[in-house]
Amino acid sequence: MKYWSIKNEQPKESIDFRALGLQEWEFRILVNRGVDTKEKIQNYLHPSMDHIHSPIALKDMVKAGNLVQSVKGKIRIIGDYDCDGVMSTTILMKGLRGLGYDVDYRLPHRREDGYGMKPYMAEEAARDGVEAIITCDNGIAQFEAIQKAKALGLKVIVIDHHQLVRREGEEVLPDADAIINPHQEACSYPFKGLCGGALAYYFINYLYTISGNIETMDKDLIGFAALATVCDVMELIGENRDLVTCGLEQLNRSQNIGLNALRDAAGIKGDIDAYHLGFILGPTINAAGRLDTAADGVELFLTEDEDFAKKTAAYLRELNRKRQDLTTEGLARLEKQLASPKERVQPIYILKDETIDESIAGIIAGRIKGKYHRPCIVLTSGKDGLKGSGRSIDAYNMVEQIRKSEKYLSSFGGHAMACGLSLRKDQFIAFKLDAIEKSDLDPRDLIPRVRLDTIMQLDKVSAETVERLNRLKPFGNGNPKPLFGATGVYVSQYRILGKNRNVIKLELFYNQARYDGILFMPADEFLAFANEAKAPDGSLCIDMAYVPTIDTFNNRNTLQFQIEDLRRSKR
């Protein structure tokens, strides 16, 4: 059972939406996404980098720029092994090289090093004659490592977007020479939701500006920042939407050898959009850091060798296929645990399987969370016991709730929707029971919700509707694909397609007109629904949550309704 509702957010001021060229349903969608003033609507409909605030407003941006300009020797970038870390590193490498700096990089290995800069990385840098270290997508909590670097006489710049460490309510900062992080209390930058890649891009943009070389800056860097933004699941609102929109435009005209090799290896035809970033290119880049070394991703985007690019892109795609297989296998094993009625009814799932690769624990937790609408933590074998990741639902702030049981954990960190943690094996049962007991979830929180933007019956939808919807892209976190509702729609017939029997083509009827529908659902689930929902006369009448699309086949465009959810109609 799912709870259906219609969003009904209100604008902050009186707005004549028709004067802005909007239809009422478009206006409702925008207001539902917090685009609730005339200025916000204008900016949303006309995304531009002109909307970006001056990078000087970022605390320590000027200080960091001056420091880099004073460097005479080698600079080392220390990044992260996920897509944001890879793209941040790439942006800094290409940007600094373009300005003539002697620069290299070091990415931690997920298993051997763990997350973030370590003290021995500072020692390595000192031995290698490095003058300055720039961390990206990490550093804000790497106190010991940065202290070591400073003790060795190195200059340190931190570029990070993660939340600051707090002790007794007070923010605690590492002893770096400059810290670019919008979450600092002393940072006045208006938009706080930037990822590491975006901050790295702003920093490089600032360096080129003050050096008088802005016209020579690699135009692809904004595309790499867009890739980082989408893949780090940042909200596609405000500056992020401007950045991703402009970044996608650049990616689609990019001549970067590595990017285009990856695009070809992934079989992407036509323009790259946010879906390709989040579900094809991003996971492929992430696969390097999950199963091998993330440096392969950086080298792919830095190379000028087409043969190397093709081989590396093919290798990363193969790693991603391996990651997908490992995910499927691990998910199947945990599904067996959830077959237990006692386990299934828990308000939060805390599952353990020491055979699962630690690099995919978070992916599996996310899959289980999505299927059962429960917060989920997946634990597997780590260096010193158990290690894992969690993914959450809106009603459960994971970092706040799990912190109540932190006494059982060796390490813990995260945010409202995700966390990482480790613990001794003998603490597993105690931690699990304590976290479940303190979950504070109302049974109503565990009912999946279908939140419609508006009701629009099928006979009110046209190809123009789809064209207008496309103006609202890119869709993603914070700017979800709009969801329409229609009631009293008859299903006259259907066909089950796909090798996995999970594509349902439907013939729909409403108000004496025929329409095409498509539904992605396992055949057995759909058939069970259809049998239960049929009326005594054998007819099947549904309410549907849908997205209107255009299906192109043999150069012919047809209006098609992609059904995201359905229920038996009360008509």
Side-chain angles (χ1 to χ4, degrees), residues 58-330:
L58 282 160
K59 181 180 179 295
D60 285 0
M61 177 64 79
V62 174
K63 185 187 293 186
N66 291 341
L67 190 152
V68 167
Q69 288 193 321
S70 72
V71 171
K72 305 302 180 186
K74 181 185 287 187
I75 298 173
R76 175 160 296 170
I77 299 158
I78 298 181
D80 186 26
Y81 42 66
D82 71 353
C83 186
D84 189 18
V86 167
M87 301 322 299
S88 303
T89 303
T90 301
I91 290 166
L92 292 173
M93 284 291 297
K94 291 181 78 68
L96 291 171
R97 280 182 176 176
L99 288 171
Y101 290 97
D102 179 9
V103 57
D104 65 10
Y105 69 94
R106 165 80 149 86
L107 297 185
H109 191 284
R110 185 185 290 265
R111 292 182 190 80
E112 296 172 6
D113 302 308
Y115 170 77
M117 179 181 171
K118 297 292 187 291
Y120 54 80
M121 295 179 187
E123 294 170 351
E124 290 173 355
R127 287 196 301 270
D128 294 342
V130 169
E131 181 180 344
I133 288 174
I134 303 177
T135 72
C136 57
D137 198 30
N138 78 101
I140 202 65
Q142 278 58 59
F143 301 100
E144 187 180 354
I146 291 173
Q147 186 178 38
K148 171 63 75 173
K150 293 300 298 174
L152 292 169
L154 279 67
K155 300 170 185 175
V156 181
I157 297 171
V158 169
I159 301 177
D160 197 2
H161 71 114
H162 292 97
Q163 294 292 332
L164 277 64
V165 174
R166 290 186 174 274
R167 293 173 187 155
E168 298 180 356
E170 298 291 325
E171 75 175 19
V172 184
L173 299 172
D175 186 28
D177 294 280
I179 300 174
I180 298 173
N181 184 320
H183 298 295
Q184 297 175 86
E185 291 175 357
C187 184
S188 62
Y189 199 77
F191 189 77
K192 306 295 184 181
L194 299 166
C195 71
L199 291 171
Y201 172 72
Y202 286 5
F203 179 57
I204 291 298
N205 187 285
Y206 174 69
L207 283 178
Y208 273 77
T209 300
I210 61 176
S211 65
N213 293 294
I214 191 65
E215 297 300 323
T216 69
M217 190 175 82
D218 189 334
K219 292 182 173 56
D220 286 332
L221 301 190
I222 191 173
F224 298 152
L227 180 54
T229 299
V230 173
C231 295
D232 222 41
V233 201
M234 309 308 292
E235 287 194 307
L236 297 187
I237 58 176
E239 285 192 17
N240 280 341
R241 187 167 180 274
D242 295 312
L243 180 69
V244 171
T245 302
C246 298
L248 282 169
E249 291 176 0
Q250 178 56 38
L251 290 176
N252 282 304
R253 56 174 177 258
S254 172
Q255 298 301 309
N256 183 271
I257 292 169
L259 172 70
N260 289 325
L262 190 59
R263 176 183 185 148
D264 291 342
I268 297 174
K269 308 296 183 185
D271 283 350
I272 297 171
D273 62 19
Y275 170 83
H276 297 116
L277 301 188
F279 293 95
I280 299 178
L281 299 179
T284 302
I285 297 165
N286 270 327
R290 292 186 187 281
L291 302 181
D292 196 352
T293 169
D296 288 332
V298 176
E299 291 303 315
L300 174 65
F301 293 107
L302 295 181
T303 190
E304 297 294 332
D305 185 325
E306 290 191 6
D307 287 338
F308 174 82
K310 289 178 181 178
K311 290 176 182 176
T312 304
Y315 173 64
L316 294 184
R317 290 297 294 167
E318 183 57 37
L319 279 182
N320 194 49
R321 280 187 283 272
K322 182 180 178 182
R323 190 270 307 166
Q324 291 171 328
D325 291 342
L326 290 172
T327 300
T328 301
E329 293 166 8

Side-chain angles (χ1 to χ4, degrees), residues 475-511:
F475 300 129
N477 181 34
N479 188 42
K481 189 180 296 184
L483 198 57
F484 297 82
T487 60
V489 179
Y490 284 90
V491 178
S492 62
Q493 60 182 354
Y494 53 82
R495 291 181 295 144
I496 297 171
L497 306 173
K499 64 177 183 179
N500 296 320
R501 289 173 52 82
N502 63 349
V503 180
I504 319 295
K505 291 279 286 186
L506 305 101
E507 186 177 82
L508 307 172
F509 272 87
Y510 179 79
N511 200 15

Side-chain angles (χ1 to χ4, degrees), residues 397-416:
N397 186 311
M398 187 156 264
V399 73
E400 289 182 4
Q401 294 295 327
I402 297 300
R403 205 172 288 287
K404 296 176 183 177
S405 305
E406 194 171 10
K407 65 181 180 181
Y408 299 104
L409 305 177
S410 307
S411 64
F412 174 68
H415 51 78

